[in-house]
């Protein structure tokens, strides 16, 4: 049912004039994908929870100004010193590889990757069923149900495509 609804919404967006106030929303289980003005975001927890307390959540972010998919990871308050550089390790459940991405603490509980994920890293992520997100030299980690990551990344791309068309055709 949710896929049919998402397909209908996408069809309506594609057949109407795309305006600068375009909205995108997709939800599948705990994962939600939506847009802001120039970004599309996906989070592994219900938005109603993360809007009040983003702690212990994992986000994919596609910023139109910086193409590609980057990661935001939110831990407990006071875990990091703002401005500190870290590597985020994504420990995968399928295969014996690990993804390591440089990041910076933007808040005392939030890390943002310094670069978008490579296609090789994305290809590895879409094969996972469980993902452990762990900053280097930290005792904290986030367990992410990764089964729906292929669908989430696909919807994130659709969202970015819709926003891109809206930016090209503002009226």
């Amino acid at each position: 049912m949710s896929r049919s609804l998402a397909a209908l919404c996408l069809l309506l967006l594609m057949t109407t004039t795309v305006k600068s106030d375009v909205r995108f929303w997709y939800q599948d289980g705990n994962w939600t994908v939506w847009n802001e003005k120039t970004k599309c975001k996906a989070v592994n927890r219900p938005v109603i929870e993360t809007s009040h307390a983003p702690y212990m959540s994992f986000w994919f972010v596609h910023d139109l100004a910086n193409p590609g998919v980057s990661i935001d990871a939110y831990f407990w308050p006071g875990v990091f010193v703002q401005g500190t550089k870290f590597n985020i390790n994504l420990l995968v459940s399928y295969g014996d590889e690990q993804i390591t991405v440089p990041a910076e603490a933007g808040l005392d509980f939030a890390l943002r990757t310094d670069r978008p994920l490579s296609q090789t890293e994305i290809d590895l992520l879409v094969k996972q069923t469980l993902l452990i997100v762990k900053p280097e030299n930290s005792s904290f980690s986030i367990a992410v149900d990764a089964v729906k990551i292929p669908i989430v990344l696909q919807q994130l791309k659709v969202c970015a495509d819709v926003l891109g068309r809206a930016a090209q055709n503002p009226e």
Side-chain angles (χ1 to χ4, degrees):
M1 177 71 179
S2 63
R3 287 187 188 184
S4 299
L5 182 58
L8 178 61
C9 290
L10 178 61
L11 181 61
L12 288 172
L13 283 172
M14 293 172 67
T15 58
T16 60
T17 304
V18 179
K19 296 181 180 178
S20 60
D21 62 347
V22 68
R23 299 288 180 248
F24 184 92
W25 183 269
Y26 175 84
Q27 188 165 9
D28 191 349
N30 283 339
W31 283 95
T32 306
V33 180
W34 76 98
N35 77 294
E36 293 177 354
K37 287 188 177 195
T38 61
K39 295 180 183 178
C40 291
K41 296 183 175 186
V43 64
N44 73 316
R45 288 187 34 224
V47 171
I48 195 159
E49 289 179 12
T50 57
S51 66
H52 296 292
Y55 313 122
M56 303 308 287
S57 61
F58 178 80
W59 302 56
F60 290 115
V61 180
H62 185 110
D63 187 339
L64 292 183
N66 185 17
V69 176
S70 57
I71 295 172
D72 286 352
Y74 294 86
F75 295 85
W76 291 116
V79 172
F80 309 114
V81 174
Q82 191 171 349
T84 304
K85 297 282 189 175
F86 287 88
N87 280 330
I88 295 178
N89 295 317
L90 306 175
L91 310 171
V92 298
S93 57
Y94 175 81
D96 54 0
E97 297 182 58
Q98 172 178 299
I99 300 170
T100 301
V101 186
E104 182 175 339
L107 300 168
D108 71 342
F109 62 91
L111 296 179
R112 172 165 286 167
T113 56
D114 290 344
R115 64 165 176 82
L117 296 170
S118 70
Q119 189 59 51
T120 302
E121 292 165 335
I122 289 174
D123 291 345
L124 183 59
L125 283 179
V126 299
K127 297 177 186 174
Q128 305 313 308
T129 56
L130 178 67
L131 187 63
I132 304 297
V133 182
K134 186 173 180 4
E136 272 184 352
N137 304 319
S138 174
S139 60
F140 290 93
S141 62
I142 303 171
V144 177
D145 177 1
V147 171
K148 297 188 186 256
I149 284 179
I151 296 166
V152 167
L153 289 173
Q154 179 184 33
Q155 291 300 318
L156 198 66
K157 182 179 180 335
V158 170
C159 177
D161 290 346
V162 169
L163 278 185
R165 284 196 311 272
Q168 293 172 354
N169 304 313
E171 293 301 322

